[in-house]
């Protein structure tokens, strides 16, 4: 478990810079002086507090500008961020994190807000983890947060919503012919809010269509075939029997599929995947050991037969590192659920059966490193950490581990 935790940490903290490029952009300093150049586009999931800037792409040194120095910055045809000192409430809409507070609790913060609709009325977005908030501004008026709070009603323990944002829009972002019934249909969702602001700006004769380039998620289904060198180390913790032995590595084939979802941020460099596959392992071994039961014979012959078929269900996190437009490397970290379809270990002493043990393996962990070409073919070197096939028996340990090569082909 400790080894897996370290591997997950290394994966999550891996350098994120691969294939994140400097793109044409600008920034305004605190005196509103404009500087054109190139900004490193991290495709921020959360609103940033700083950014990297180059005057020329050939520059070897980058400038780091933080929120205290910059009033606005943008990447051409991608995104624009403006700095404001705002009152913000950060309640979560996650069902497991709701409070009983129905009214906003304000904190004053300095933030970069992302422009997502522009014109006479400007709509901004703020994201931090699972928190997503929206702000609006009418021309040069102060920026104000649109209030929507999900909370638990103390009286009946029901989930309710404070939808004050609808009243704010009705009062301040209204063409004049929009009644409350219209605003009641608007949900607190990005697309719904953008649609309303564009309608308001259109009827005000002051709409600016943003050419925002956003990263989209994607789903892939693949066929997968693998070959693993699998080894087994059996330890008999009952010293009286003395049955332990090691089984040499042997080739085990796997056949399965993979479903992968590319996450819609950070330049599509992260994904989640699930990869069901079927494997079947069998082995036999004959070996001699000192006879601990009888003093008449110095040694005794043992035989072991193992048959183990299982469905493996790795669930993992993948990090891509782009080499060019056609090639990329990737790292995998997985928890692997295991479902035994059939399996037992039989032990013989001088051809007499003395133990017949059912195989029941717990979940395990795995890591992998691979190469992807044109989003069509992937090759991966994978290592499956040891798991105890005799976890249901206190007097036995049978550590099964494997390493090998996995190939997958994209169906779509």
């Amino acid at each position: 478990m400790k080894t897996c935790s370290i591997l997950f940490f290394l994966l999550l903290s891996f350098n994120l810079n691969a294939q994140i490029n400097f793109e044409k952009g600008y920034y305004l300093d605190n005196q509103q002086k404009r500087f054109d150049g190139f900004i490193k586009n991290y495709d921020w999931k959360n609103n940033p507090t700083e950014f990297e800037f180059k005057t020329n792409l050939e520059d070897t040194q980058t400038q780091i500008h933080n929120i205290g120095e910059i009033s606005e910055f943008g990447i051409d045809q991608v995104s624009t961020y403006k700095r404001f000192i705002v009152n913000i409430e950060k309640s979560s809409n996650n069902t497991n994190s709701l409070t009983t507070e129905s009214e906003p609790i304000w904190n004053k913060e300095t933030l970069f807000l992302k422009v997502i609709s522009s014109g006479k009325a400007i709509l901004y977005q703020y994201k931090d983890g699972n928190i997503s908030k929206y702000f609006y501004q009418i021309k040069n008026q102060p920026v104000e947060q649109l209030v929507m709070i999900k909370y638990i009603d103390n009286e009946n323990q029901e989930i309710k919503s404070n939808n004050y944002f609808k009243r704010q829009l009705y009062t301040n972002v209204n063409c004049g012919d929009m009644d409350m019934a219209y605003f009641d249909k608007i949900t607190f969702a990005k697309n719904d809010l953008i649609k309303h602001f564009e309608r308001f700006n259109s009827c005000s004769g002051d709409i600016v269509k943003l050419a925002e380039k956003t990263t989209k998620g994607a789903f892939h289904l693949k066929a997968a075939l693998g070959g693993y060198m699998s080894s087994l180390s059996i330890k008999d913790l009952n010293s009286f029997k003395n049955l332990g032995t090691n089984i040499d590595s042997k080739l085990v084939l796997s056949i399965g599929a993979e479903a992968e979802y590319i996450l819609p941020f950070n330049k599509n460099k992260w994904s989640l995947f699930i990869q069901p596959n079927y494997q079947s392992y069998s082995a036999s071994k004959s070996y001699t050991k000192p006879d601990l039961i009888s003093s008449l014979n110095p040694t005794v012959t043992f035989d072991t037969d193992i048959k183990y078929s299982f469905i493996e269900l790795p669930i993992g996190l993948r990090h891509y590192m782009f080499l060019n437009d056609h090639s990329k490397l990737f790292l995998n970290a997985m928890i692997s659920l295991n479902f035994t379809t059939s399996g037992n270990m039989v032990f013989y002493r001088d051809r007499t059966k003395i133990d017949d043990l059912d195989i029941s393996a717990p979940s395990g962990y795995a890591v992998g490193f691979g190469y992807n070409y044109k989003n069509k073919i992937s090759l991966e070197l994978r290592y499956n950490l040891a798991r105890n096939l005799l976890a249901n028996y206190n007097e036995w340990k049978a550590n099964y581990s494997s390493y090998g090569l996995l190939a997958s082909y994209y169906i779509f």
Side-chain angles (χ1 to χ4, degrees):
M1 183 68 181
K2 181 178 179 181
T3 301
C4 183
S5 298
I6 294 172
L7 291 169
F8 266 97
F9 174 79
L10 290 174
L11 176 59
L12 290 170
S13 60
F14 196 86
N15 190 344
L16 301 180
N17 291 338
Q19 200 64 16
I20 294 180
N21 300 318
F22 280 89
E23 298 181 23
K24 190 174 180 181
Y26 73 96
Y27 71 85
L28 305 181
D29 65 14
N30 289 333
Q31 288 72 45
Q32 301 303 302
K33 184 178 179 181
R34 180 180 173 118
F35 295 84
D36 291 298
F38 299 87
I39 292 175
K40 200 164 195 178
N41 182 11
Y42 281 97
D43 191 26
W44 295 278
K45 181 178 183 292
N46 300 323
N47 288 43
T49 57
E50 63 180 24
F51 61 89
E52 296 180 48
F53 182 84
K54 284 184 178 182
T55 303
N56 298 293
L57 284 176
E58 295 76 20
D59 293 346
T60 56
Q61 297 295 323
T62 62
Q63 306 167 29
I64 307 295
H65 294 293
N66 60 52
I67 196 168
E69 306 167 339
I70 305 301
S71 62
E72 177 180 326
F73 76 94
I75 300 173
D76 291 4
Q77 304 299 310
V78 177
S79 59
T80 300
Y81 290 88
K82 295 184 179 182
R83 185 189 68 192
F84 296 99
I85 299 174
V86 296
N87 287 318
I88 184 171
E89 71 84 23
K90 290 186 175 180
S91 62
S92 172
N93 291 333
N94 189 312
T95 304
N96 297 322
S97 305
L98 299 183
T99 70
T100 57
E101 295 289 340
S102 63
E103 296 300 319
I105 298 174
W106 300 107
N107 289 298
K108 184 170 287 189
E109 295 186 25
T110 301
L111 304 171
F112 278 133
L113 300 181
K114 185 178 182 180
V115 179
I116 58 174
S117 184
S118 191
K120 179 180 179 180
I122 305 174
L123 179 64
Y124 301 95
Q125 184 178 32
Y126 172 79
K127 292 193 72 175
D128 183 13
N130 292 325
I131 296 172
S132 185
K133 301 296 180 181
Y134 298 95
F135 293 78
Y136 75 101
Q137 183 183 34
I138 307 297
K139 279 302 184 181
N140 296 318
Q141 297 298 312
V143 172
E144 184 177 345
Q145 183 175 342
L146 292 170
V147 175
M148 199 289 288
I149 301 173
K150 279 189 177 181
Y151 65 96
I152 299 175
D153 188 338
N154 269 332
E155 290 187 8
N156 50 29
Q157 294 301 299
E158 290 183 353
I159 296 176
K160 294 186 176 181
S161 296
N162 175 351
N163 290 316
Y164 182 65
F165 77 95
K166 297 182 180 183
R167 176 62 59 178
Q168 291 172 286
L169 296 178
Y170 173 78
T171 303
N172 300 313
V173 193
N174 192 333
C175 288
D177 59 348
M178 302 172 179
D179 57 17
M180 201 60 208
Y182 162 81
F183 288 96
D184 281 338
K185 296 178 182 178
I186 299 177
T187 64
F188 196 72
K190 181 178 179 180
N191 289 340
D192 249 20
L193 293 172
I194 289 176
K195 184 178 178 181
H196 169 67
F197 272 74
E198 288 182 348
R199 178 174 175 178
F200 170 81
N201 287 325
S202 180
C203 73
S204 301
D206 188 17
I207 186 170
V208 178
K209 195 78 173 179
L210 294 180
E212 182 185 16
K213 185 167 61 179
T214 58
T215 301
K216 296 182 179 180
F219 177 80
H220 298 299
L221 183 64
K222 314 170 193 176
L225 181 67
Y228 296 98
M229 296 303 297
S230 301
S231 59
L232 182 63
S233 174
I234 305 171
K235 292 183 180 180
D236 174 13
L237 303 182
N238 185 335
S239 59
F240 181 71
K241 291 183 178 179
N242 194 28
L243 295 177
T245 188
N246 293 325
I247 308 294
D248 293 336
S249 297
K250 63 175 302 182
L251 180 64
V252 175
L253 298 179
S254 75
I255 184 169
E258 179 185 301
E260 178 186 26
Y261 178 67
I262 308 293
L263 296 173
F265 59 85
N266 198 223
K267 293 285 189 173
N268 293 139
K269 291 164 87 282
W270 296 90
S271 73
L272 300 173
F273 65 91
I274 184 169
Q275 195 180 74
N277 65 88
Y278 174 79
Q279 298 180 44
S280 182
Y281 171 87
S282 62
S284 298
K285 184 175 182 180
S286 180
Y287 53 100
T288 59
K289 282 197 169 187
D291 190 348
L292 301 181
I293 297 177
S294 172
S295 60
L296 298 178
N297 298 313
T299 61
V300 63
T301 299
F302 294 104
D303 291 282
T304 302
D305 289 328
I306 304 106
K307 295 184 183 300
Y308 175 39
S309 298
F310 60 98
I311 294 173
E312 187 179 56
L313 190 64
I315 301 171
L317 176 68
R318 177 171 294 148
H319 175 59
Y320 285 107
M321 296 157 284
F322 293 85
L323 301 176
N324 52 50
D325 290 341
H326 302 304
S327 300
K328 52 190 173 183
L329 303 176
F330 60 86
L331 289 171
N332 290 341
M334 294 151 277
I335 182 170
S336 183
L337 308 180
N338 294 278
F339 304 93
T340 302
T341 57
S342 64
N344 68 325
M345 292 188 192
V346 183
F347 296 91
Y348 300 86
R349 174 188 169 92
D350 291 333
R351 299 185 179 181
T352 300
K353 183 190 293 187
I354 56 175
D355 266 312
D356 190 343
L357 307 177
D358 292 328
I359 291 176
S360 180
S363 300
Y365 301 94
V367 292
F369 174 74
Y371 170 77
N372 176 287
Y373 181 67
K374 287 189 174 181
N375 284 336
K376 282 294 183 183
I377 299 174
S378 290
L379 292 175
E380 177 190 348
L381 292 172
R382 181 173 296 183
Y383 174 61
N384 296 293
L385 281 68
R387 59 181 186 268
N388 183 11
L389 301 189
L390 299 177
N392 290 340
Y393 299 90
N394 292 329
E395 295 181 346
W396 291 90
K397 278 189 177 180
N399 287 333
Y400 180 87
S401 62
S402 62
Y403 65 90
L405 183 65
L406 181 69
S408 59
Y409 180 79
Y410 285 57
I411 300 172
F412 64 80

